[in-house]
Amino acid sequence: MAEHLVILGASYAGFQLASEVRKGGFPGAVTLIGAEPGLPYQRPPLSKAFLQGDMAEDRLPMTGWTFFNDENVRYLPGVQASSLDTQARTLVLSTGEELAYSWLAFCTGARARRLPVAGADLPGVYTMRSLADARAIKNQLASSRSVCVIGAGFIGLEVAAACRQAGKTVTVVEAGEEVLARALPQPLRRYLQARHEAAGVTFRFSTQVQAIAENEPAGGLSVVTDNGALPCDTVIVGIGATPNTELAAAAGIHCDPAIPVDAFGRTQVDRVLAAGDCASYPCDFAPTPGTRMTLESVQAAKDTARAVASVILGNPQPFNEVPWFWTDQYDLKVQMAGLCSDRQEYVLRGDPAESRFSWVGLQDGTIRSVFSVNRPADHMAARKLIAQQTSVAAEQAADTNTRLKALINSVRE
Amino acid sequence: MTQVTYVLHDGSEKELEGKPGNSIMELAVHNNVPGIEAECGGSCACATCHVYVQASDLAKLPDMDDMEDEMLDEAAAERRDNSRLSCQLVLSDDVDSVQVQIPERQI
């Protein structure tokens, strides 16, 4: 049969895959299926500029309708696959249409984890993942006065910053002891917490949410925790993501909880691939290199999609990019390259009092990670330094008279 | 509306009309103009939307801030006096036309 690539999921991984295979001259048919209506759109601004009212909705799409015509990609928004037969290589869509594929790529991403407590579905309680979520939250915030954010991860903190800047009373409830515990080195976690507190955010750490209740007769909501009840009118939940793997599991693909793939995005089923937040893959830059992970980021979604595209194009290239990520909170541009680890020693570069500094993570004399606040040059150099495993002495890392860029070619023998 | 001309690496040109409030990067991405990667979607966090602005158009565009200045040093293609990150070039009704050249590489 003529080649047919079917891509399930039309966000970062799915769209990038469609784009890459066409760039690479894939001669077969390409069908891109997305559960959400409209054009594929950008997610990072939803909890940042869009939520703050600084970015109109028409700036969110990551492409235009022109792409699908120009590149001969059949795009089916608002459609899902309802069943999959990996033997026959067919799938049935929610529209009833049956497709036969020669390649199938799972790019179904993840959904926001819901609070597993009573009251999680009450009006006024939101997750932040989709454009629909962001619109609903924006609407709610127009008349809201007090917001309770559940979860002090990236989503929680970005939402807290946006709400605080809009003048709302903000309390952040976190089950753990700190903000961003897995993602950043401790000095930076403390710095961000302090900046939020200076802006007027109240944190309740080591606090578990037990239920959300309607606050009768006053109205609004009450977040019931093991540390007392918090009245508010809006609850926004950012407690992590659950990969969308139900179809894969139903088709017999073992998921744990993501779809495990090799470094090229291949599952254990022939001609079935996966990329982005729905997948887990070996990461060269994990504290133990090769550990299977899901790097929940735009960059990893695109780069794993590129690996999958290379397989389809017949020239397999493994996913081996340095992980990078960013978050914008208040006036802070926080950029991260590499992954945080207890095995690294962190050296300060620059001055926190000036809000311009980086923490450089060293291990065995090489740069493994850099966490930057308002120092984009450090971040950009870091991606190359980490990829090359550049030898750097702590004094060099700390010395702001030396640009990190200047260290780029001093590769260890 | 602003008339934006993109000069592609192969020398061909693509002319588009941009609305106020949209950036030169967004206009390119929405219209499938090749050569602008925009990895970070316009957050001034990746330097893959680098363009060379026609010299006579430079003054029409918003000023460069420190973050963009730092990021431009890291662009893959050579930084020139007329280098800008197109995600920061937000159009307005004041600007009737702009021409930008797309560099050979963004990564």
Side-chain angles (χ1 to χ4, degrees):
Chain A
M1 61 168 273
E3 294 262 34
H4 183 196
L5 165 62
V6 173
I7 305 173
L8 290 177
S11 189
Y12 285 97
F15 176 71
Q16 190 73 29
L17 176 56
S19 176
E20 292 289 328
V21 295
R22 281 306 189 220
K23 243 197 281 194
F26 177 68
V30 177
T31 302
L32 178 66
I33 300 167
E36 293 180 81
L39 287 165
Y41 62 87
Q42 301 177 68
R43 293 194 196 267
L46 298 179
S47 52
K48 307 178 192 64
F50 177 76
L51 190 59
Q52 288 165 3
D54 293 338
M55 190 169 177
E57 212 174 290
D58 68 359
R59 297 179 63 191
L60 289 174
M62 62 171 88
T63 186
W65 298 107
T66 323
F67 169 85
F68 302 103
N69 294 328
D70 288 356
E71 306 301 332
N72 191 21
V73 171
R74 184 183 176 208
Y75 178 46
L76 302 175
V79 173
Q80 293 183 276
S82 45
S83 67
L84 167 63
D85 182 338
T86 59
Q87 297 292 322
R89 296 195 183 152
T90 57
L91 59 156
V92 179
L93 303 183
S94 51
T95 55
E97 184 179 356
E98 181 175 294
L99 297 178
Y101 64 85
S102 59
W103 291 103
L104 177 67
F106 277 96
C107 298
T108 47
R111 58 189 181 274
R113 211 180 133 234
R114 305 199 74 82
L115 259 181
V117 304
D121 293 326
L122 284 172
V125 182
Y126 304 89
T127 50
M128 167 61 93
R129 174 58 173 167
S130 66
L131 177 53
D133 290 340
R135 278 189 200 122
I137 292 173
K138 243 182 116 174
N139 263 349
Q140 172 78 356
L141 288 181
S143 55
S144 158
R145 300 232 298 270
S146 61
V147 180
C148 183
V149 174
I150 317 259
F154 288 110
I155 293 290
L157 294 186
E158 287 176 0
V159 168
C163 290
R164 196 62 207 112
Q165 290 184 295
K168 317 299 176 194
T169 305
V170 178
T171 304
V172 177
V173 175
E174 163 58 45
E177 293 172 5
E178 296 185 87
V179 306
L180 294 169
R182 292 165 303 144
L184 299 181
Q186 192 176 68
L188 187 49
R189 301 198 292 261
R190 297 227 166 119
Y191 178 85
L192 287 177
Q193 180 183 333
R195 289 302 298 267
H196 277 272
E197 286 169 337
V201 171
T202 304
F203 287 96
R204 296 284 198 96
F205 292 109
S206 305
T207 300
Q208 295 272 3
V209 175
Q210 295 168 325
I212 302 177
E214 281 166 314
N215 200 13
E216 303 296 355
L221 298 168
S222 178
V223 176
V224 180
T225 77
D226 56 357
N227 251 333
L230 301 165
C232 59
D233 52 49
T234 305
V235 176
I236 303 173
V237 179
I239 56 171
T242 305
N244 294 320
T245 56
E246 287 71 19
L247 183 73
I253 297 172
H254 171 72
C255 299
D256 62 12
I259 301 170
V261 298
D262 66 10
F264 301 86
R266 297 180 293 216
T267 69
Q268 288 181 318
V269 178
D270 198 36
R271 293 304 189 102
V272 177
L273 308 152
D277 283 358
C278 72
S280 65
Y281 35 82
C283 177
D284 290 346
F285 300 94
T288 302
T291 303
R292 174 173 294 291
M293 307 183 62
T294 303
L295 296 164
E296 293 168 336
S297 65
V298 165
Q299 172 257 332
K302 294 168 87 155
D303 286 338
T304 51
R306 289 186 174 113
V308 165
S310 74
V311 170
I312 293 167
L313 293 168
N315 179 23
Q317 302 294 319
F319 165 67
N320 60 2
E321 298 294 320
V322 173
W324 61 272
F325 194 69
W326 81 96
T327 177
D328 295 326
Q329 298 169 31
Y330 308 106
D331 60 341
L332 305 175
K333 171 173 233 65
V334 185
Q335 294 171 286
M336 294 142 257
L339 298 173
C340 183
S341 155
D342 286 344
R343 301 177 208 179
Q344 292 168 26
E345 186 203 313
Y346 293 96
V347 173
L348 177 62
R349 177 183 173 77
D351 189 356
E354 286 178 16
S355 300
R356 282 194 73 223
F357 60 99
S358 296
W359 284 99
V360 179
L362 301 174
Q363 186 178 331
D364 301 333
T366 63
I367 284 195
R368 301 302 179 91
S369 65
V370 179
F371 299 87
S372 304
V373 177
N374 294 331
R375 288 190 74 98
D378 282 358
H379 172 71
M380 298 302 286
R383 292 195 229 161
K384 297 194 177 108
L385 291 166
I386 296 165
Q388 292 175 359
Q389 297 183 82
T390 308
S391 298
V392 173
E395 304 74 51
Q396 288 176 303
D399 178 16
T400 52
N401 290 318
T402 305
R403 298 175 68 181
L404 286 185
K405 189 175 181 172
L407 303 175
I408 282 174
N409 291 312
S410 51
V411 178
R412 190 162 59 163
E413 295 301 317
Chain B
M1 299 296 277
T2 306
Q3 183 101 314
V4 182
T5 304
Y6 298 87
V7 179
L8 307 189
H9 186 61
D10 65 4
S12 63
E13 290 186 5
K14 195 152 180 184
E15 260 183 32
L16 293 168
E17 277 218 307
K19 285 167 37 180
N22 277 48
S23 70
I24 289 180
M25 176 277 281
E26 282 157 2
L27 185 64
V29 162
H30 292 172
N31 289 280
N32 203 26
V33 174
I36 290 184
E37 287 301 321
E39 288 267 294
C40 73
S43 308
C44 199
C46 73
T48 63
C49 66
H50 178 206
V51 295
Y52 300 121
V53 178
Q54 177 168 253
S56 51
D57 293 331
L58 272 172
K60 300 178 188 175
L61 297 167
D63 287 339
M64 186 187 305
D65 70 12
D66 291 343
M67 292 297 128
E68 183 188 345
D69 199 357
E70 265 195 56
M71 290 299 291
L72 272 168
D73 279 348
E74 314 303 326
E78 176 199 21
R79 182 176 183 174
R80 301 179 190 159
D81 288 340
N82 60 343
S83 282
R84 292 296 305 266
L85 293 183
S86 55
C87 68
Q88 302 300 301
L89 303 179
V90 179
L91 299 170
S92 69
D93 276 326
D94 296 342
V95 184
D96 55 347
S97 67
V98 183
Q99 180 169 301
V100 298
Q101 187 192 338
I102 297 181
E104 180 182 358
R105 36 192 286 258
Q106 298 286 3
I107 293 183

